[in-house]
Amino acid sequence: MNERPPSVDTLARVVAVDSTLPFALVVRCARLAVASSGNYEAVARDLVRGIERSLVQPVVNATGVLLHTNLGRAPLGAEFFGFEGVARATSLEFDLSEGSRGSRQTAVATLVAELTGAEDAVIVNNNAAAVLLVLAALAAGRDVAVSRGESVEIGGGFRIPEVLEQSGARLVDVGTTNKTRASDFERAIAKRGNDIAVILRVHPSNFHIEGFTQQPGLDEISNLGVSVVSDIGSGLLDARCPWIEGPPPQWLHGEPAARQVLADGASIVTFSGDKLMGGPQCGIIAGRADLVAKCRAHPLMRALRPGGQTLIALQRILLAFAAKTACTDIPFWLMATSSLDSLRLRAENVLGSVAPSLGAHILETVALPGAGSTPGATIPSVAIAVNGDHTARLRALSVPVIARRDGNTTLLDMRSVATADDSLIVDSLNSLATT
Ligand SMILES: *Cc1c(COP(=O)(O)O)cnc(C)c1O
């Protein structure tokens, strides 16, 4: 191709007309395009589009995976992260009674204690950080006993043996991959005397082994003279779900919960804020006051502490659990506990506004809690189905809609979509019908 490259400025001006990017970034793309081998305008537009698409932006999660790891886990609106009105300072580290310096974590620690029965709690950036801090504060230079069946990789590079190594503690493998008994821990402790600082339990969140398997109960290993730290991962606060009317839902069956794990003898429990709590990304360390105090006093604490906005959001989430309004006020819990009838009604209303030529129809499906919580558990759901694979076109919309493909059918699951976004689902389906 002999096309002569345009000037960077000319090309940038042409391309900038259709872009919301700052002009300096469009110029950057134009400069790269001019250096390419032809199709300068198309190349520049692709580069500009690439940057626009790489910006973190709101999307409609129609995958049916409620806590989608690629889509930011628990959905939370801006209202969770700040206060309405003027941009004001906050009392983040200020004691309003004394008029002196306060702790940014006092209120959330009180709320976690109330909701889980823990004596005290401390918050860090995520659960991986929580496990790292607990091991560094309680076991550096000493041994940590872990069942071979729980020496797992959670995903995103979180591998128990490697986290242990980073904390400065030494891993002691106990039992076998499929069977570990309390007597295995007893023998390991007897052999190593005072060297074993803690027993670490890890909930295998993202898989389960079936068949000839066994792990000892917490009650059996919490009286061996060594503190038990339990990483439950998903962060169900209380297995009785006092914030839900009626019995706990079926999909939570068997999920470990902070209150019960502490009551059964764990000294410390760690979990994520953005999995089953439905809150912001953070990690929570809760349990015995003296052990929590050691975590708080460890030098890593300053590096792992969460920001003010995270604590404001977490505070809102914990207040909603305490007020038993989680199922209306926390988006994840609202989605997870919506009745099948209400989802069906929403799907019918959507279909009523969509061009019949599209052939969209309603299917019963199953949604997933997601984020590696409750492995294997499903929540009955309703999806709008359209023949053909339209996932790429739905992703290209100005508010991208992330759908699921099943064979040659595109499914938009209503359970992971906020009711307020139903009109966007209508628009997205109609955009498929018009071309
Ligand atoms: C998810 C999970 C983690 C990691 O938590 P993050 O908050 O993502 O850092 C650690 N342990 C278990 C058991 C988990 O399920």
PDB file of all heavy atoms in Angstrom, residues 389-425:
ATOM      1  N   ASP A 389     -24.814 -16.839  19.015  1.00  0.00           N
ATOM      2  CA  ASP A 389     -23.837 -16.304  19.979  1.00  0.00           C
ATOM      3  C   ASP A 389     -23.738 -14.797  19.787  1.00  0.00           C
ATOM      4  O   ASP A 389     -23.141 -14.314  18.830  1.00  0.00           O
ATOM      5  CB  ASP A 389     -22.471 -16.962  19.756  1.00  0.00           C
ATOM      6  CG  ASP A 389     -21.418 -16.402  20.709  1.00  0.00           C
ATOM      7  OD1 ASP A 389     -21.762 -15.552  21.559  1.00  0.00           O
ATOM      8  OD2 ASP A 389     -20.247 -16.825  20.603  1.00  0.00           O
ATOM      9  N   HIS A 390     -24.325 -14.044  20.718  1.00  0.00           N
ATOM     10  CA  HIS A 390     -24.316 -12.583  20.628  1.00  0.00           C
ATOM     11  C   HIS A 390     -23.429 -11.962  21.700  1.00  0.00           C
ATOM     12  O   HIS A 390     -23.508 -10.765  21.939  1.00  0.00           O
ATOM     13  CB  HIS A 390     -25.744 -12.039  20.790  1.00  0.00           C
ATOM     14  CG  HIS A 390     -26.716 -12.633  19.820  1.00  0.00           C
ATOM     15  ND1 HIS A 390     -26.728 -12.282  18.485  1.00  0.00           N
ATOM     16  CD2 HIS A 390     -27.686 -13.569  19.979  1.00  0.00           C
ATOM     17  CE1 HIS A 390     -27.679 -12.975  17.866  1.00  0.00           C
ATOM     18  NE2 HIS A 390     -28.267 -13.768  18.748  1.00  0.00           N
ATOM     19  N   THR A 391     -22.614 -12.794  22.370  1.00  0.00           N
ATOM     20  CA  THR A 391     -21.882 -12.287  23.539  1.00  0.00           C
ATOM     21  C   THR A 391     -20.940 -11.137  23.164  1.00  0.00           C
ATOM     22  O   THR A 391     -20.835 -10.163  23.906  1.00  0.00           O
ATOM     23  CB  THR A 391     -21.089 -13.423  24.217  1.00  0.00           C
ATOM     24  OG1 THR A 391     -20.310 -14.090  23.218  1.00  0.00           O
ATOM     25  CG2 THR A 391     -22.007 -14.428  24.874  1.00  0.00           C
ATOM     26  N   ALA A 392     -20.284 -11.236  22.001  1.00  0.00           N
ATOM     27  CA  ALA A 392     -19.333 -10.177  21.630  1.00  0.00           C
ATOM     28  C   ALA A 392     -20.072  -8.873  21.361  1.00  0.00           C
ATOM     29  O   ALA A 392     -19.625  -7.794  21.751  1.00  0.00           O
ATOM     30  CB  ALA A 392     -18.521 -10.601  20.409  1.00  0.00           C
ATOM     31  N   ARG A 393     -21.227  -8.955  20.691  1.00  0.00           N
ATOM     32  CA  ARG A 393     -21.972  -7.720  20.394  1.00  0.00           C
ATOM     33  C   ARG A 393     -22.521  -7.092  21.661  1.00  0.00           C
ATOM     34  O   ARG A 393     -22.597  -5.869  21.773  1.00  0.00           O
ATOM     35  CB  ARG A 393     -23.081  -8.025  19.389  1.00  0.00           C
ATOM     36  CG  ARG A 393     -22.456  -8.215  18.008  1.00  0.00           C
ATOM     37  CD  ARG A 393     -23.444  -8.432  16.916  1.00  0.00           C
ATOM     38  NE  ARG A 393     -24.515  -7.466  16.883  1.00  0.00           N
ATOM     39  CZ  ARG A 393     -25.714  -7.743  16.368  1.00  0.00           C
ATOM     40  NH1 ARG A 393     -25.949  -8.948  15.884  1.00  0.00           N
ATOM     41  NH2 ARG A 393     -26.634  -6.829  16.338  1.00  0.00           N
ATOM     42  N   LEU A 394     -22.918  -7.912  22.599  1.00  0.00           N
ATOM     43  CA  LEU A 394     -23.425  -7.364  23.874  1.00  0.00           C
ATOM     44  C   LEU A 394     -22.297  -6.700  24.661  1.00  0.00           C
ATOM     45  O   LEU A 394     -22.505  -5.698  25.337  1.00  0.00           O
ATOM     46  CB  LEU A 394     -24.088  -8.475  24.696  1.00  0.00           C
ATOM     47  CG  LEU A 394     -25.395  -9.039  24.110  1.00  0.00           C
ATOM     48  CD1 LEU A 394     -25.817 -10.299  24.851  1.00  0.00           C
ATOM     49  CD2 LEU A 394     -26.499  -7.990  24.145  1.00  0.00           C
ATOM     50  N   ARG A 395     -21.095  -7.243  24.548  1.00  0.00           N
ATOM     51  CA  ARG A 395     -19.945  -6.642  25.228  1.00  0.00           C
ATOM     52  C   ARG A 395     -19.554  -5.305  24.611  1.00  0.00           C
ATOM     53  O   ARG A 395     -18.941  -4.474  25.260  1.00  0.00           O
ATOM     54  CB  ARG A 395     -18.718  -7.571  25.116  1.00  0.00           C
ATOM     55  CG  ARG A 395     -18.654  -8.697  26.097  1.00  0.00           C
ATOM     56  CD  ARG A 395     -17.217  -9.204  26.263  1.00  0.00           C
ATOM     57  NE  ARG A 395     -16.510  -9.454  25.015  1.00  0.00           N
ATOM     58  CZ  ARG A 395     -16.583 -10.563  24.302  1.00  0.00           C
ATOM     59  NH1 ARG A 395     -17.365 -11.553  24.706  1.00  0.00           N
ATOM     60  NH2 ARG A 395     -15.891 -10.697  23.193  1.00  0.00           N
ATOM     61  N   ALA A 396     -19.906  -5.114  23.338  1.00  0.00           N
ATOM     62  CA  ALA A 396     -19.480  -3.903  22.633  1.00  0.00           C
ATOM     63  C   ALA A 396     -20.410  -2.717  22.885  1.00  0.00           C
ATOM     64  O   ALA A 396     -20.135  -1.609  22.444  1.00  0.00           O
ATOM     65  CB  ALA A 396     -19.395  -4.192  21.136  1.00  0.00           C
ATOM     66  N   LEU A 397     -21.524  -2.929  23.580  1.00  0.00           N
ATOM     67  CA  LEU A 397     -22.473  -1.829  23.834  1.00  0.00           C
ATOM     68  C   LEU A 397     -21.851  -0.777  24.751  1.00  0.00           C
ATOM     69  O   LEU A 397     -20.883  -1.051  25.457  1.00  0.00           O
ATOM     70  CB  LEU A 397     -23.745  -2.395  24.491  1.00  0.00           C
ATOM     71  CG  LEU A 397     -24.554  -3.348  23.599  1.00  0.00           C
ATOM     72  CD1 LEU A 397     -25.643  -4.030  24.411  1.00  0.00           C
ATOM     73  CD2 LEU A 397     -25.147  -2.579  22.416  1.00  0.00           C
ATOM     74  N   SER A 398     -22.445   0.419  24.743  1.00  0.00           N
ATOM     75  CA  SER A 398     -21.843   1.502  25.532  1.00  0.00           C
ATOM     76  C   SER A 398     -21.874   1.160  27.021  1.00  0.00           C
ATOM     77  O   SER A 398     -20.941   1.485  27.746  1.00  0.00           O
ATOM     78  CB  SER A 398     -22.518   2.833  25.238  1.00  0.00           C
ATOM     79  OG  SER A 398     -23.884   2.728  25.538  1.00  0.00           O
ATOM     80  N   VAL A 399     -22.948   0.532  27.493  1.00  0.00           N
ATOM     81  CA  VAL A 399     -22.860  -0.132  28.798  1.00  0.00           C
ATOM     82  C   VAL A 399     -22.789  -1.634  28.469  1.00  0.00           C
ATOM     83  O   VAL A 399     -23.797  -2.252  28.120  1.00  0.00           O
ATOM     84  CB  VAL A 399     -24.068   0.147  29.711  1.00  0.00           C
ATOM     85  CG1 VAL A 399     -23.908  -0.595  31.041  1.00  0.00           C
ATOM     86  CG2 VAL A 399     -24.217   1.640  29.957  1.00  0.00           C
ATOM     87  N   PRO A 400     -21.608  -2.216  28.549  1.00  0.00           N
ATOM     88  CA  PRO A 400     -21.459  -3.614  28.119  1.00  0.00           C
ATOM     89  C   PRO A 400     -22.345  -4.559  28.943  1.00  0.00           C
ATOM     90  O   PRO A 400     -22.479  -4.386  30.149  1.00  0.00           O
ATOM     91  CB  PRO A 400     -19.967  -3.901  28.366  1.00  0.00           C
ATOM     92  CG  PRO A 400     -19.311  -2.551  28.386  1.00  0.00           C
ATOM     93  CD  PRO A 400     -20.325  -1.626  28.973  1.00  0.00           C
ATOM     94  N   VAL A 401     -22.955  -5.501  28.245  1.00  0.00           N
ATOM     95  CA  VAL A 401     -23.741  -6.535  28.922  1.00  0.00           C
ATOM     96  C   VAL A 401     -22.970  -7.838  28.778  1.00  0.00           C
ATOM     97  O   VAL A 401     -22.655  -8.264  27.669  1.00  0.00           O
ATOM     98  CB  VAL A 401     -25.152  -6.658  28.294  1.00  0.00           C
ATOM     99  CG1 VAL A 401     -25.899  -7.844  28.881  1.00  0.00           C
ATOM    100  CG2 VAL A 401     -25.933  -5.357  28.489  1.00  0.00           C
ATOM    101  N   ILE A 402     -22.615  -8.447  29.914  1.00  0.00           N
ATOM    102  CA  ILE A 402     -21.820  -9.676  29.880  1.00  0.00           C
ATOM    103  C   ILE A 402     -22.768 -10.855  30.030  1.00  0.00           C
ATOM    104  O   ILE A 402     -23.364 -11.056  31.096  1.00  0.00           O
ATOM    105  CB  ILE A 402     -20.755  -9.689  31.004  1.00  0.00           C
ATOM    106  CG1 ILE A 402     -20.033  -8.334  31.104  1.00  0.00           C
ATOM    107  CG2 ILE A 402     -19.768 -10.831  30.774  1.00  0.00           C
ATOM    108  CD1 ILE A 402     -19.314  -7.873  29.852  1.00  0.00           C
ATOM    109  N   ALA A 403     -22.937 -11.592  28.930  1.00  0.00           N
ATOM    110  CA  ALA A 403     -23.886 -12.698  28.913  1.00  0.00           C
ATOM    111  C   ALA A 403     -23.139 -14.021  28.926  1.00  0.00           C
ATOM    112  O   ALA A 403     -21.908 -14.060  28.888  1.00  0.00           O
ATOM    113  CB  ALA A 403     -24.769 -12.607  27.672  1.00  0.00           C
ATOM    114  N   ARG A 404     -23.906 -15.110  29.015  1.00  0.00           N
ATOM    115  CA  ARG A 404     -23.308 -16.446  29.038  1.00  0.00           C
ATOM    116  C   ARG A 404     -23.726 -17.165  27.759  1.00  0.00           C
ATOM    117  O   ARG A 404     -24.840 -16.953  27.260  1.00  0.00           O
ATOM    118  CB  ARG A 404     -23.860 -17.143  30.279  1.00  0.00           C
ATOM    119  CG  ARG A 404     -23.564 -18.577  30.439  1.00  0.00           C
ATOM    120  CD  ARG A 404     -23.854 -19.008  31.888  1.00  0.00           C
ATOM    121  NE  ARG A 404     -25.082 -19.759  32.029  1.00  0.00           N
ATOM    122  CZ  ARG A 404     -26.034 -19.487  32.904  1.00  0.00           C
ATOM    123  NH1 ARG A 404     -25.926 -18.465  33.716  1.00  0.00           N
ATOM    124  NH2 ARG A 404     -27.118 -20.224  32.984  1.00  0.00           N
ATOM    125  N   ARG A 405     -22.846 -17.972  27.227  1.00  0.00           N
ATOM    126  CA  ARG A 405     -23.185 -18.731  26.028  1.00  0.00           C
ATOM    127  C   ARG A 405     -23.339 -20.199  26.394  1.00  0.00           C
ATOM    128  O   ARG A 405     -22.538 -20.737  27.145  1.00  0.00           O
ATOM    129  CB  ARG A 405     -22.078 -18.577  24.991  1.00  0.00           C
ATOM    130  CG  ARG A 405     -22.463 -19.027  23.598  1.00  0.00           C
ATOM    131  CD  ARG A 405     -21.388 -18.621  22.618  1.00  0.00           C
ATOM    132  NE  ARG A 405     -20.115 -19.266  22.939  1.00  0.00           N
ATOM    133  CZ  ARG A 405     -19.796 -20.506  22.543  1.00  0.00           C
ATOM    134  NH1 ARG A 405     -20.635 -21.215  21.810  1.00  0.00           N
ATOM    135  NH2 ARG A 405     -18.638 -21.028  22.868  1.00  0.00           N
ATOM    136  N   ASP A 406     -24.413 -20.806  25.912  1.00  0.00           N
ATOM    137  CA  ASP A 406     -24.604 -22.232  26.150  1.00  0.00           C
ATOM    138  C   ASP A 406     -24.829 -22.866  24.785  1.00  0.00           C
ATOM    139  O   ASP A 406     -25.913 -22.726  24.206  1.00  0.00           O
ATOM    140  CB  ASP A 406     -25.806 -22.446  27.084  1.00  0.00           C
ATOM    141  CG  ASP A 406     -25.997 -23.917  27.417  1.00  0.00           C
ATOM    142  OD1 ASP A 406     -25.101 -24.729  27.099  1.00  0.00           O
ATOM    143  OD2 ASP A 406     -27.055 -24.251  27.980  1.00  0.00           O
ATOM    144  N   GLY A 407     -23.816 -23.519  24.243  1.00  0.00           N
ATOM    145  CA  GLY A 407     -23.909 -24.036  22.874  1.00  0.00           C
ATOM    146  C   GLY A 407     -24.111 -22.872  21.930  1.00  0.00           C
ATOM    147  O   GLY A 407     -23.355 -21.898  21.946  1.00  0.00           O
ATOM    148  N   ASN A 408     -25.215 -22.919  21.160  1.00  0.00           N
ATOM    149  CA  ASN A 408     -25.467 -21.829  20.223  1.00  0.00           C
ATOM    150  C   ASN A 408     -26.559 -20.888  20.750  1.00  0.00           C
ATOM    151  O   ASN A 408     -27.286 -20.269  19.986  1.00  0.00           O
ATOM    152  CB  ASN A 408     -25.853 -22.400  18.845  1.00  0.00           C
ATOM    153  CG  ASN A 408     -25.779 -21.328  17.767  1.00  0.00           C
ATOM    154  OD1 ASN A 408     -24.923 -20.435  17.831  1.00  0.00           O
ATOM    155  ND2 ASN A 408     -26.696 -21.376  16.808  1.00  0.00           N
ATOM    156  N   THR A 409     -26.671 -20.808  22.068  1.00  0.00           N
ATOM    157  CA  THR A 409     -27.675 -19.927  22.665  1.00  0.00           C
ATOM    158  C   THR A 409     -26.991 -18.911  23.562  1.00  0.00           C
ATOM    159  O   THR A 409     -26.047 -19.248  24.268  1.00  0.00           O
ATOM    160  CB  THR A 409     -28.670 -20.763  23.511  1.00  0.00           C
ATOM    161  OG1 THR A 409     -29.203 -21.797  22.682  1.00  0.00           O
ATOM    162  CG2 THR A 409     -29.802 -19.902  24.040  1.00  0.00           C
ATOM    163  N   THR A 410     -27.467 -17.672  23.513  1.00  0.00           N
ATOM    164  CA  THR A 410     -26.971 -16.650  24.426  1.00  0.00           C
ATOM    165  C   THR A 410     -27.972 -16.509  25.571  1.00  0.00           C
ATOM    166  O   THR A 410     -29.174 -16.381  25.338  1.00  0.00           O
ATOM    167  CB  THR A 410     -26.822 -15.300  23.696  1.00  0.00           C
ATOM    168  OG1 THR A 410     -25.924 -15.484  22.599  1.00  0.00           O
ATOM    169  CG2 THR A 410     -26.280 -14.227  24.636  1.00  0.00           C
ATOM    170  N   LEU A 411     -27.468 -16.593  26.792  1.00  0.00           N
ATOM    171  CA  LEU A 411     -28.346 -16.529  27.968  1.00  0.00           C
ATOM    172  C   LEU A 411     -28.051 -15.264  28.760  1.00  0.00           C
ATOM    173  O   LEU A 411     -26.894 -14.961  29.051  1.00  0.00           O
ATOM    174  CB  LEU A 411     -28.106 -17.743  28.870  1.00  0.00           C
ATOM    175  CG  LEU A 411     -28.445 -19.120  28.303  1.00  0.00           C
ATOM    176  CD1 LEU A 411     -28.017 -20.212  29.282  1.00  0.00           C
ATOM    177  CD2 LEU A 411     -29.940 -19.220  28.026  1.00  0.00           C
ATOM    178  N   LEU A 412     -29.118 -14.526  29.106  1.00  0.00           N
ATOM    179  CA  LEU A 412     -28.981 -13.396  30.007  1.00  0.00           C
ATOM    180  C   LEU A 412     -29.700 -13.756  31.300  1.00  0.00           C
ATOM    181  O   LEU A 412     -30.928 -13.808  31.344  1.00  0.00           O
ATOM    182  CB  LEU A 412     -29.566 -12.128  29.385  1.00  0.00           C
ATOM    183  CG  LEU A 412     -28.783 -11.635  28.167  1.00  0.00           C
ATOM    184  CD1 LEU A 412     -29.515 -11.950  26.885  1.00  0.00           C
ATOM    185  CD2 LEU A 412     -28.502 -10.164  28.278  1.00  0.00           C
ATOM    186  N   ASP A 413     -28.913 -14.048  32.324  1.00  0.00           N
ATOM    187  CA  ASP A 413     -29.473 -14.521  33.590  1.00  0.00           C
ATOM    188  C   ASP A 413     -29.957 -13.332  34.410  1.00  0.00           C
ATOM    189  O   ASP A 413     -29.213 -12.392  34.660  1.00  0.00           O
ATOM    190  CB  ASP A 413     -28.406 -15.307  34.354  1.00  0.00           C
ATOM    191  CG  ASP A 413     -29.010 -16.143  35.453  1.00  0.00           C
ATOM    192  OD1 ASP A 413     -29.692 -15.558  36.326  1.00  0.00           O
ATOM    193  OD2 ASP A 413     -28.820 -17.375  35.447  1.00  0.00           O
ATOM    194  N   MET A 414     -31.216 -13.387  34.829  1.00  0.00           N
ATOM    195  CA  MET A 414     -31.809 -12.233  35.519  1.00  0.00           C
ATOM    196  C   MET A 414     -31.322 -12.099  36.957  1.00  0.00           C
ATOM    197  O   MET A 414     -31.385 -11.028  37.546  1.00  0.00           O
ATOM    198  CB  MET A 414     -33.346 -12.336  35.513  1.00  0.00           C
ATOM    199  CG  MET A 414     -33.978 -12.324  34.131  1.00  0.00           C
ATOM    200  SD  MET A 414     -33.507 -10.861  33.158  1.00  0.00           S
ATOM    201  CE  MET A 414     -34.417  -9.582  34.011  1.00  0.00           C
ATOM    202  N   ARG A 415     -30.833 -13.187  37.560  1.00  0.00           N
ATOM    203  CA  ARG A 415     -30.519 -13.117  38.992  1.00  0.00           C
ATOM    204  C   ARG A 415     -29.313 -12.228  39.296  1.00  0.00           C
ATOM    205  O   ARG A 415     -29.250 -11.611  40.347  1.00  0.00           O
ATOM    206  CB  ARG A 415     -30.306 -14.526  39.583  1.00  0.00           C
ATOM    207  CG  ARG A 415     -30.247 -14.507  41.109  1.00  0.00           C
ATOM    208  CD  ARG A 415     -30.174 -15.873  41.725  1.00  0.00           C
ATOM    209  NE  ARG A 415     -31.414 -16.621  41.747  1.00  0.00           N
ATOM    210  CZ  ARG A 415     -32.444 -16.392  42.540  1.00  0.00           C
ATOM    211  NH1 ARG A 415     -32.419 -15.385  43.381  1.00  0.00           N
ATOM    212  NH2 ARG A 415     -33.523 -17.144  42.486  1.00  0.00           N
ATOM    213  N   SER A 416     -28.368 -12.154  38.374  1.00  0.00           N
ATOM    214  CA  SER A 416     -27.185 -11.331  38.650  1.00  0.00           C
ATOM    215  C   SER A 416     -27.343  -9.904  38.123  1.00  0.00           C
ATOM    216  O   SER A 416     -26.415  -9.099  38.219  1.00  0.00           O
ATOM    217  CB  SER A 416     -25.932 -11.990  38.058  1.00  0.00           C
ATOM    218  OG  SER A 416     -26.097 -12.232  36.677  1.00  0.00           O
ATOM    219  N   VAL A 417     -28.537  -9.588  37.575  1.00  0.00           N
ATOM    220  CA  VAL A 417     -28.795  -8.238  37.054  1.00  0.00           C
ATOM    221  C   VAL A 417     -29.614  -7.466  38.089  1.00  0.00           C
ATOM    222  O   VAL A 417     -30.613  -7.972  38.604  1.00  0.00           O
ATOM    223  CB  VAL A 417     -29.579  -8.318  35.721  1.00  0.00           C
ATOM    224  CG1 VAL A 417     -29.947  -6.924  35.218  1.00  0.00           C
ATOM    225  CG2 VAL A 417     -28.774  -9.074  34.672  1.00  0.00           C
ATOM    226  N   ALA A 418     -29.193  -6.247  38.402  1.00  0.00           N
ATOM    227  CA  ALA A 418     -29.988  -5.403  39.296  1.00  0.00           C
ATOM    228  C   ALA A 418     -31.288  -5.037  38.593  1.00  0.00           C
ATOM    229  O   ALA A 418     -31.299  -4.795  37.381  1.00  0.00           O
ATOM    230  CB  ALA A 418     -29.213  -4.142  39.656  1.00  0.00           C
ATOM    231  N   THR A 419     -32.396  -5.007  39.340  1.00  0.00           N
ATOM    232  CA  THR A 419     -33.697  -4.694  38.739  1.00  0.00           C
ATOM    233  C   THR A 419     -33.642  -3.368  37.970  1.00  0.00           C
ATOM    234  O   THR A 419     -34.241  -3.224  36.904  1.00  0.00           O
ATOM    235  CB  THR A 419     -34.778  -4.613  39.837  1.00  0.00           C
ATOM    236  OG1 THR A 419     -34.710  -5.828  40.590  1.00  0.00           O
ATOM    237  CG2 THR A 419     -36.160  -4.470  39.245  1.00  0.00           C
ATOM    238  N   ALA A 420     -32.897  -2.414  38.520  1.00  0.00           N
ATOM    239  CA  ALA A 420     -32.799  -1.102  37.869  1.00  0.00           C
ATOM    240  C   ALA A 420     -32.154  -1.194  36.493  1.00  0.00           C
ATOM    241  O   ALA A 420     -32.268  -0.266  35.694  1.00  0.00           O
ATOM    242  CB  ALA A 420     -31.997  -0.147  38.754  1.00  0.00           C
ATOM    243  N   ASP A 421     -31.476  -2.301  36.194  1.00  0.00           N
ATOM    244  CA  ASP A 421     -30.819  -2.458  34.890  1.00  0.00           C
ATOM    245  C   ASP A 421     -31.679  -3.231  33.891  1.00  0.00           C
ATOM    246  O   ASP A 421     -31.231  -3.484  32.764  1.00  0.00           O
ATOM    247  CB  ASP A 421     -29.471  -3.176  35.056  1.00  0.00           C
ATOM    248  CG  ASP A 421     -28.374  -2.221  35.512  1.00  0.00           C
ATOM    249  OD1 ASP A 421     -28.579  -0.985  35.394  1.00  0.00           O
ATOM    250  OD2 ASP A 421     -27.334  -2.705  35.980  1.00  0.00           O
ATOM    251  N   ASP A 422     -32.912  -3.588  34.261  1.00  0.00           N
ATOM    252  CA  ASP A 422     -33.755  -4.333  33.319  1.00  0.00           C
ATOM    253  C   ASP A 422     -33.958  -3.552  32.024  1.00  0.00           C
ATOM    254  O   ASP A 422     -34.041  -4.130  30.935  1.00  0.00           O
ATOM    255  CB  ASP A 422     -35.113  -4.661  33.961  1.00  0.00           C
ATOM    256  CG  ASP A 422     -34.996  -5.787  34.980  1.00  0.00           C
ATOM    257  OD1 ASP A 422     -33.875  -6.294  35.186  1.00  0.00           O
ATOM    258  OD2 ASP A 422     -36.029  -6.160  35.581  1.00  0.00           O
ATOM    259  N   SER A 423     -34.038  -2.202  32.137  1.00  0.00           N
ATOM    260  CA  SER A 423     -34.242  -1.404  30.922  1.00  0.00           C
ATOM    261  C   SER A 423     -33.018  -1.502  30.007  1.00  0.00           C
ATOM    262  O   SER A 423     -33.141  -1.454  28.776  1.00  0.00           O
ATOM    263  CB  SER A 423     -34.535   0.051  31.284  1.00  0.00           C
ATOM    264  OG  SER A 423     -33.454   0.570  32.030  1.00  0.00           O
ATOM    265  N   LEU A 424     -31.830  -1.654  30.604  1.00  0.00           N
ATOM    266  CA  LEU A 424     -30.625  -1.835  29.777  1.00  0.00           C
ATOM    267  C   LEU A 424     -30.645  -3.190  29.074  1.00  0.00           C
ATOM    268  O   LEU A 424     -30.155  -3.328  27.949  1.00  0.00           O
ATOM    269  CB  LEU A 424     -29.356  -1.725  30.646  1.00  0.00           C
ATOM    270  CG  LEU A 424     -28.931  -0.319  31.057  1.00  0.00           C
ATOM    271  CD1 LEU A 424     -27.741  -0.378  32.014  1.00  0.00           C
ATOM    272  CD2 LEU A 424     -28.580   0.507  29.826  1.00  0.00           C
ATOM    273  N   ILE A 425     -31.215  -4.189  29.752  1.00  0.00           N
ATOM    274  CA  ILE A 425     -31.356  -5.510  29.115  1.00  0.00           C
ATOM    275  C   ILE A 425     -32.292  -5.389  27.913  1.00  0.00           C
ATOM    276  O   ILE A 425     -32.018  -5.935  26.830  1.00  0.00           O
ATOM    277  CB  ILE A 425     -31.892  -6.551  30.142  1.00  0.00           C
ATOM    278  CG1 ILE A 425     -30.890  -6.750  31.291  1.00  0.00           C
ATOM    279  CG2 ILE A 425     -32.198  -7.868  29.465  1.00  0.00           C
ATOM    280  CD1 ILE A 425     -29.632  -7.491  30.929  1.00  0.00           C
TER     281      ILE A 425
END
